[in-house]
Amino acid sequence: QLTFVESGGGLVQPGGSLRLSCAAIGWPVDDFAIGWFRQAPGKKREGVLCISSSGGTTNYLDSAKGRFTISRDNAKRTVYVQMNSLKSEDTAVYFCAADASSPYVRAGNCPRRGESQIDWDYWGQGTRVTVSS
């Protein structure tokens, strides 16, 4: 069974940076697209970024453009999100996920913008990011 362990969250001041990690447990993820999501208190979960099996990236969050970068290290079975210039509105629990049910996504492709809310099959427990002075 594939699952993920996210880490790297914490308390950071506005304008600061964090690097989140998503480590895959139980299965190689070389041929999976990996998505990052976040859920702020009282809000619905939203897609942030996705990286395809070939390293292509898809940004689902306009506010993250130019500030967040996703990357992967298949040898370490880990996907990263570098978050810079953090704002208070970035406060949320951040999750990573993979999907094996959608043929398009299971082939290693990221869902297109506006379509990130598929039923992703495999999730981690999340890592909390708090941006506050």
Side-chain angles (χ1 to χ4, degrees):
Q1 177 75 9
L2 174 63
T3 188
F4 297 100
V5 177
E6 298 94 337
S7 61
L11 174 63
V12 62
Q13 291 187 343
S17 297
L18 284 174
R19 187 196 195 201
L20 305 184
S21 298
C22 164
I25 308 296
W27 206 255
V29 290
D30 305 34
D31 58 350
F32 279 89
I34 306 295
W36 274 96
F37 300 81
R38 70 184 188 184
Q39 187 164 19
K43 294 189 177 181
K44 292 182 179 179
R45 187 175 64 208
E46 59 183 350
V48 179
L49 289 165
C50 179
I51 187 164
S52 71
S53 58
S54 62
T57 63
T58 302
N59 186 347
Y60 300 123
L61 198 64
D62 288 340
S63 65
K65 200 171 185 179
R67 300 189 299 126
F68 294 3
T69 305
I70 189 171
S71 61
R72 66 191 299 158
D73 184 338
N74 288 334
K76 295 183 178 179
R77 298 186 182 184
T78 301
V79 173
Y80 305 96
V81 171
Q82 177 67 42
M83 305 191 298
N84 300 325
S85 302
L86 283 162
K87 306 175 182 179
S88 58
E89 52 262 44
D90 296 318
T91 295
V93 179
Y94 286 72
F95 303 87
C96 60
D99 182 67
S101 299
S102 163
Y104 179 77
V105 178
R106 182 59 189 93
N109 303 299
C110 290
R112 300 172 182 86
R113 275 179 60 87
E115 299 178 358
S116 65
Q117 301 298 331
I118 62 173
D119 288 331
W120 296 75
D121 292 319
Y122 307 109
W123 291 86
Q125 84 291 346
T127 186
R128 185 175 301 276
V129 172
T130 302
V131 184
S132 175
S133 56

